[in-house]
Amino acid sequence: MQRNSIHDSIIASLTRHAALDEDDYAALRGLQLSPRQIEPSTYLVREGEKPARCAFILSGFTYRQKLTSNGARQIVSLQIPGEFVDLQNLWLNESDHNVQALTRTQIADIDIGALRTVVTTRPAIATAMWRTSLIDSSIFREWIVNIGRRDAHTRVGHLLCEFSLRLEAAGIATTGAYDLPMTQEQLGDTVGLTPVHVNRVLKALAQRGLIERDRRKIRIVDWVGLRDASDFNPRYLHLGQS
């Protein structure tokens, strides 16, 4: 992807959250970008390190994760194309979590110092990035509820509903049909279940006529049924926030 196209993608992402003017566009187009491709499991951010750059996802998926002292992993969020990976590290001196590539991913790195300058001098851009971070926090809260207060079938179904709407909003999936970017093990680390349990839940959702699946291809057959069975309300995604 050409750098001009990357700048346009960043502008399109931010204008979903705030109205930008021509001076804002010029400030964003003035950012120096370092495009690169990373392979699955590659670390973009490591816990304990001082962040030096912020990544914008062009294609592919990344995820945040935390490890316990005995090596158990909890996946705490998923980032999709058109999203920034780590805006919170603009103002923090040390990363408190890890970010890894979930799939082969194309990103554009932006120097944190340069991004801070844009944020502090262009209020509308600051508003857009602040809203982006607030939506991230909203999704974190919902995932906590998912793990803490929902049963296995509801947890998995809720995540399938979320993926459907987020991928559709990003223009990379049709209504109710998409390629699931996670393995069953990774889904398990997201919803607090074993891979075997995740497989059983997916089979049960299919048997109930709520979804169809072919390996990682998911099609939601009965959106209302899955939504209701999964205690899903899209309010927390704040789609169309501007």
Side-chain angles (χ1 to χ4, degrees):
M1 184 180 289
Q2 298 296 316
R3 278 175 170 77
N4 287 343
S5 297
I6 298 174
H7 284 108
D8 289 342
S9 295
I10 292 172
I11 289 170
S13 174
L14 293 176
T15 52
R16 290 201 296 266
H17 302 296
L20 306 182
D21 61 23
E22 291 298 327
D23 290 337
D24 296 321
Y25 298 160
L28 291 168
R29 290 195 174 102
L31 290 170
Q32 294 297 310
L33 306 175
S34 299
R36 61 187 173 114
Q37 178 175 286
I38 55 176
E39 298 301 315
S41 300
T42 300
Y43 281 83
L44 285 78
V45 178
R46 285 186 181 272
E47 184 171 357
E49 289 186 350
K50 181 178 177 62
R53 57 186 182 267
C54 180
F56 181 80
I57 302 177
L58 303 170
S59 66
F61 300 86
T62 66
Y63 64 96
R64 300 186 207 280
Q65 53 100 333
K66 294 278 290 185
L67 296 173
T68 65
S69 58
N70 65 1
R73 178 179 67 177
Q74 180 67 47
I75 293 176
V76 298
S77 72
L78 176 76
Q79 294 78 51
I80 69 174
E83 294 183 350
F84 288 92
V85 169
D86 50 359
L87 285 179
Q88 75 283 349
N89 280 332
L90 278 177
W91 307 110
L92 298 176
N93 293 327
E94 184 180 46
S95 179
D96 55 40
H97 64 279
N98 302 298
V99 179
Q100 288 179 268
L102 183 61
T103 63
R104 178 174 293 171
T105 304
Q106 297 278 348
I107 63 171
D109 283 326
I110 309 170
D111 177 75
I112 278 183
L115 204 52
R116 283 176 180 168
T117 298
V118 169
V119 169
T120 54
T121 57
R122 305 303 309 170
I125 295 175
T127 297
M129 291 189 177
W130 178 232
R131 283 178 172 165
T132 298
S133 295
L134 290 174
I135 293 170
D136 282 346
S137 297
S138 178
I139 295 173
F140 288 150
R141 288 190 291 274
E142 193 70 24
W143 281 30
I144 290 171
V145 175
N146 212 33
I147 293 174
R149 293 300 177 185
R150 295 184 176 119
D151 64 27
H153 288 73
T154 309
R155 290 182 207 178
V156 174
H158 195 280
L159 206 60
L160 295 181
C161 288
E162 177 183 312
F163 287 170
S164 178
L165 290 188
R166 288 178 68 188
L167 295 176
E168 183 181 349
I172 53 178
T174 57
T175 303
Y178 56 92
D179 290 332
L180 190 65
M182 289 178 155
T183 65
Q184 290 182 16
E185 178 183 2
Q186 290 161 340
L187 276 173
D189 285 349
T190 301
V191 296
L193 302 171
T194 66
V196 171
H197 201 166
V198 168
N199 186 51
R200 289 173 181 163
V201 170
L202 290 172
K203 286 182 177 178
L205 293 174
Q207 289 168 354
R208 291 167 62 184
L210 300 177
I211 67 169
E212 291 178 349
R213 68 185 184 112
D214 180 7
R215 297 185 179 181
R216 292 200 192 182
K217 294 186 180 297
I218 297 290
R219 187 171 78 87
I220 299 176
V221 179
D222 181 355
W223 171 259
V224 173
L226 184 63
R227 178 199 66 191
D228 293 345
S230 305
D231 189 31
F232 183 78
N233 184 325
R235 183 183 300 116
Y236 71 99
L237 296 173
H238 297 278
L239 297 173
Q241 174 71 49
S242 61

